[in-house]
């Protein structure tokens, strides 16, 4: 598939440009249906982008629903919680008016009961998403599509919307939107930073099995145009 490559010299310039693009997506959704939805990734990469987007006062945040692409199965008191990261970095200032829908449902494990509760919660998120922002790990994972994941095939081939995931490289058990649900979006972004991630991406763009580098499921899907945002 064709990837729109956006390359920036600094992390701050990338964050500002990505915030501009996503703000346009959200405002287009608001204009069309009176509400908008956004799915974001956690980890260390999106902090500057979160701050830049959350400061935008040209978005009617009271009509925006924010959720996560995936989540570690931990409560928000944990420093491993993506929900905590989003609340502390994105949902501040003007964006504090947005509605946030977490994926962690409070059960000890992401068992059938926990996933059912999480699925019930995300049913309130407007569909399709107006924007989905994905990251990528140095092992080639995106969302919680991990190499060796116990439910990787189901995550890539079923409707979901959410599925539990356990994998050797994942740390805690996780919950993730399925591929089909992530592709139910008006705009799809891959946000990566650093030369090491660029090298991983180049490898992922080579022909090879999705199971070893699950980000290939995003790169090869041919359904939604993908915009890459990268800086050193």
């Amino acid at each position: 598939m064709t990837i729109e490559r956006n390359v920036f010299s600094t992390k701050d310039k990338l964050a500002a440009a990505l915030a501009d693009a996503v703000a346009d997506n959200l405002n287009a959704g608001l204009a069309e249906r009176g509400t908008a939805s956004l799915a974001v990734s956690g980890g260390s990469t999106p902090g500057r982008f979160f701050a830049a987007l959350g400061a935008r006062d040209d978005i009617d945040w009271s009509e925006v629903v924010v959720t996560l692409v995936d989540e570690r199965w931990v409560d928000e008191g944990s420093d491993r919680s993506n929900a905590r990261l989003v609340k502390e970095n994105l949902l501040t200032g003007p964006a504090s008016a947005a509605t946030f829908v977490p994926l962690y449902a409070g059960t000890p494990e992401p068992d059938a009961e926990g996933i059912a509760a999480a699925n019930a919660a995300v049913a309130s998120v407007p569909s399709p998403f107006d924007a989905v922002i994905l990251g990528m790990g140095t092992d080639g994972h995106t969302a919680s599509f991990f190499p060796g994941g116990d439910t990787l095939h189901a995550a890539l081939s079923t409707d979901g919307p959410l599925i539990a995931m356990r994998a050797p490289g994942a740390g805690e058990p996780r919950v993730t939107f399925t591929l089909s649900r992530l592709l139910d979006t008006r705009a799809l972004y891959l946000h990566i930073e650093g030369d090491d991630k660029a090298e991983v991406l180049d490898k992922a763009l080579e022909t090879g099995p999705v199971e070893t580098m699950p980000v290939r499921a995003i790169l090869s899907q041919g359904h939604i145009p993908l915009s890459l945002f990268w800086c050193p």
Side-chain angles (χ1 to χ4, degrees):
M1 70 176 294
T2 300
I3 300 175
E4 176 190 337
R5 294 175 178 263
N6 301 277
V7 177
F8 302 88
S9 58
T10 69
K11 294 178 180 180
D12 286 336
K13 289 180 180 178
L14 184 157
L18 184 54
D20 285 345
V22 173
D24 287 346
N25 299 143
L26 295 178
N27 280 325
L30 290 167
E32 179 176 329
R33 58 183 176 178
T35 187
S37 59
L38 170 66
V40 298
S41 296
S44 59
T45 300
R48 287 179 176 83
F49 159 63
F50 284 168
L53 181 62
R56 300 286 296 242
D57 60 6
D58 59 339
I59 300 167
D60 183 0
W61 286 103
S62 66
E63 298 297 337
V64 175
V65 179
V66 178
T67 191
L68 288 157
V69 167
D70 68 323
E71 177 63 287
R72 301 176 180 95
W73 202 258
V74 296
D75 66 41
E76 292 177 19
S78 170
D79 60 7
R80 297 274 291 166
S81 167
N82 288 336
R84 177 177 176 177
L85 177 78
V86 168
K87 287 187 174 182
E88 291 180 349
N89 293 275
L90 173 59
L91 302 179
T92 62
S96 63
T99 298
F100 179 62
V101 179
L103 305 186
Y104 171 69
T107 58
E109 296 287 333
D111 53 15
E113 177 185 0
I115 295 300
N119 276 326
V122 300
S124 66
V125 179
S127 179
F129 292 119
D130 292 286
V132 169
I133 298 92
L134 296 169
M136 183 188 70
T138 55
D139 61 353
H141 86 266
T142 190
S144 280
F145 307 154
F146 279 87
D150 63 344
T151 58
L152 179 59
H153 177 75
L156 299 180
S157 61
T158 61
D159 290 337
L162 296 172
I163 194 167
M165 182 72 68
R166 294 171 176 83
E172 304 90 342
R174 299 194 179 211
V175 58
T176 185
F177 275 104
T178 60
L179 177 64
S180 66
R181 183 64 179 91
L182 292 176
L183 296 180
D184 187 19
T185 181
R186 302 174 192 269
L188 183 64
Y189 299 91
L190 180 62
H191 173 194
I192 59 175
E193 298 178 357
D195 290 335
D196 57 341
K197 295 287 185 72
E199 291 175 3
V200 173
L201 180 63
D202 286 343
K203 183 177 180 181
L205 286 167
E206 298 173 357
T207 301
V210 170
E211 291 77 12
T212 58
M213 300 190 78
V215 71
R216 286 179 172 139
I218 296 294
L219 300 175
S220 64
Q221 43 84 24
H223 178 58
I224 299 294
L226 178 65
S227 296
L228 169 68
F229 278 65
W230 177 83
C231 68

